[in-house]
Amino acid sequence: MKTNSIIEQKTSEWIDIRRDIHAHPELRFEEIRTARIVADKLRAFGIEVTEGVGKTGVVGVLRGDKTPVTENVRAIGLRADMDALPIQEKNLFAHASTLKGKMHACGHDGHVAMLLGAAEVLASQKHLLAGNVVFIFQPAEEGGAGAQRMIEDGLFTRFPVDAVFAMHNWPGLPVGTFAVRKGPMMASSNEFELTVRGKGAHAAMPNLGIDPVPIACQIVLAFQQLISRVRAPLDPAVISVTQISAGEAINVIPESATLAGTVRTFKDETLNSLEAQMGKIAHHICASFGAQSDFVFKRNYPSLINDAESTEFICQVLEELEGVEAVYDDLDPTMGAEDFAFMLKVKPGSYVWLGNGDGDHRSAGHGLGPCTLHNPSYDFNDGVLSLGVSAWVALSQRFLKS
Ligand SMILES: [Zn+2]
Ligand SMILES: [Zn+2]
């Protein structure tokens, strides 16, 4: 049967899977039910399955019938993330979350369904493939670095690939369009915590203590000066101090003040320099007033950098795909982060956004908020599910053409 007819026939089944996963969201590294659905489906399609890769990750390997007998079998990796978020869903439609405080608010339910759909189509047409398709269902994208965990668990040594691709739905991007760019597309995500240790005193006798509050305030401003005066203006970077805490009583100068926040950059050099400068500023401003600083900096996700060749390849495939209205390759990158970046650090590949539309698709009973990522009124657009499947299928078939 032709690819398009299979997709047409099967789309409603895939939508049911997507809605079932949406109704049963699981947080990072708890994707037991989701992983079981994935593994069962892949097996039913005749795909080799390995479970428990990176704790709750699942990997499926489909071997094409036209694969030449050689040591270096060509292979493509396709990745979907499976985890939900700790958000109370505001939607009341039939497939809304059945679990309090957990929700698929980033569309990973849709990503799982699209990759399962692609697995089903590709398995039914494996006579066309001269190589392997490796289906990577990863846990814990939302702050758990599940991609890194899978890599540490031997993902690419146990299941080698020549390139790896990922697709994420993107609200606001019109239905029927994709967006991707060469080079940096999403920022590195890092966090810091700084404690300013002063000396407590009576609020009316500040000279008897070392007040950590004005010291902390000076540090907040000096951090912003790093962005405006030290960083090169054309090299994007953000420092946001998002938490300040000090003091318990109005008439007491506290012992200490704590600042915490996030740092985003595209370049490693910029990150290295900001981390070092922030530590220096904290130390010297504290020292000049007789206080001490404890500065802790933690790197979470690296910046996501799309390899040029893979990005050109996926653009070509998408541009020729039926139903695609536009492939934007010049959208601005975002300072948001994505742990697929870990995979792109070790393998060439590309990460692409699939237009999720502006929210009109939502079933009756949806929350009144916008249909943006991580919003309690969000829902994945089932109307783009089949396009996502065709994109995965076309990409794999082109990549593994004999
Ligand atoms: Zn997310
Ligand atoms: Zn996401």
Side-chain angles (χ1 to χ4, degrees):
M1 210 192 294
K2 280 206 162 149
T3 309
N4 285 352
S5 333
I6 307 176
I7 292 178
E8 218 169 280
Q9 223 179 63
K10 288 279 174 182
T11 297
S12 70
E13 263 179 53
W14 299 329
I15 291 174
D16 289 346
I17 295 173
R18 198 288 286 182
R19 294 186 171 196
D20 174 61
I21 294 173
H22 188 92
H24 301 92
E26 293 173 303
L27 300 184
R28 60 190 192 201
F29 294 123
E30 293 172 0
E31 307 89 340
I32 309 287
R33 181 182 185 274
T34 314
R36 197 186 320 123
I37 292 174
V38 166
D40 288 351
K41 291 275 174 204
L42 292 177
R43 274 193 200 101
F45 307 149
I47 291 172
E48 290 172 32
V49 175
T50 308
E51 290 169 82
V53 183
K55 198 166 180 188
T56 38
V58 181
V59 178
V61 180
L62 175 68
R63 297 179 198 281
D65 289 343
K66 280 171 51 183
T67 308
V69 187
T70 145
E71 272 187 11
N72 299 317
V73 174
R74 201 162 154 73
I76 181 173
L78 310 178
R79 173 279 214 167
D81 36 16
M82 302 192 287
D83 56 324
L85 285 154
I87 291 178
Q88 180 61 43
E89 180 157 3
K90 285 203 175 143
N91 300 313
L92 297 170
F93 41 60
H95 63 278
S97 174
T98 55
L99 300 167
K100 212 177 153 202
K102 297 180 188 179
M103 176 188 177
H104 268 293
C106 204
H108 300 182
D109 48 346
H111 304 165
V112 170
M114 288 192 294
L115 193 54
L116 279 177
E120 184 165 13
V121 179
L122 287 164
S124 73
Q125 301 184 334
K126 67 187 173 112
H127 57 279
L128 299 174
L129 304 175
N132 298 343
V133 185
V134 178
F135 302 94
I136 304 166
F137 291 86
Q138 79 148 76
E141 192 286 321
E142 300 288 0
Q148 187 182 35
R149 187 82 170 260
M150 287 188 92
I151 294 166
E152 285 165 2
D153 202 3
L155 174 64
F156 294 127
T157 44
R158 293 158 73 190
F159 314 98
V161 298
D162 297 294
V164 65
F165 295 86
M167 204 190 300
H168 202 296
N169 77 95
W170 208 250
L173 194 65
V175 167
T177 69
F178 290 88
V180 60
R181 57 178 295 132
K182 285 182 206 169
M185 180 146 159
M186 298 185 81
S188 70
S189 142
N190 317 276
E191 58 191 58
F192 63 89
E193 198 178 290
L194 167 66
T195 307
V196 177
R197 295 192 192 289
K199 194 164 108 188
H202 193 295
M205 303 166 205
N207 53 306
L208 299 181
I210 297 173
D211 188 349
V213 174
I215 300 175
C217 293
Q218 287 204 20
I219 293 172
V220 172
L221 295 177
F223 282 173
Q224 293 314 312
Q225 206 168 328
L226 278 179
I227 297 297
S228 67
R229 302 286 84 185
V230 177
R231 174 206 49 137
L234 295 179
D235 176 21
V238 174
I239 300 178
S240 290
V241 177
T242 51
Q243 296 177 348
I244 303 183
S245 52
E248 276 155 38
I250 286 177
N251 57 355
V252 177
I253 288 172
E255 287 278 320
S256 64
T258 309
L259 305 177
T262 182
V263 177
R264 307 286 171 117
T265 67
F266 286 119
K267 290 185 186 155
D268 284 346
E269 309 93 86
T270 313
L271 180 60
N272 294 340
S273 125
L274 285 180
E275 179 181 349
Q277 304 251 25
M278 288 171 77
K280 245 193 245 173
I281 283 175
H283 175 76
H284 290 295
I285 292 183
C286 283
S288 57
F289 291 102
Q292 284 175 333
S293 71
D294 293 333
F295 181 64
V296 181
F297 196 92
K298 193 172 154 233
R299 297 185 181 206
N300 294 329
Y301 292 175
S303 56
L304 183 141
I305 300 177
N306 280 336
D307 149 70
E309 200 185 317
S310 310
T311 305
E312 267 164 38
F313 176 71
I314 196 168
C315 275
Q316 243 175 40
V317 172
L318 295 175
E319 274 159 8
E320 289 168 19
L321 201 64
E322 213 182 296
V324 173
E325 274 163 35
V327 180
Y328 302 106
D329 59 2
D330 55 355
L331 283 200
D332 286 338
T334 155
M335 299 309 281
E338 156 67 67
D339 87 337
F340 183 62
F342 286 110
M343 296 197 187
L344 292 184
K345 278 224 152 199
V346 290
K347 289 286 168 190
S350 199
Y351 173 84
V352 52
W353 290 332
L354 162 69
N356 200 57
D358 53 15
D360 289 350
H361 64 275
R362 286 178 291 179
S363 319
H366 69 77
L368 295 178
C371 187
T372 50
L373 298 177
H374 296 206
N375 186 293
S377 302
Y378 167 87
D379 196 28
F380 179 82
N381 187 349
D382 288 324
V384 304
L385 201 148
S386 59
L387 185 62
V389 173
S390 340
W392 277 146
V393 170
L395 182 77
S396 309
Q397 289 178 340
R398 278 276 288 276
F399 195 88
L400 299 177
K401 226 174 179 171
S402 53

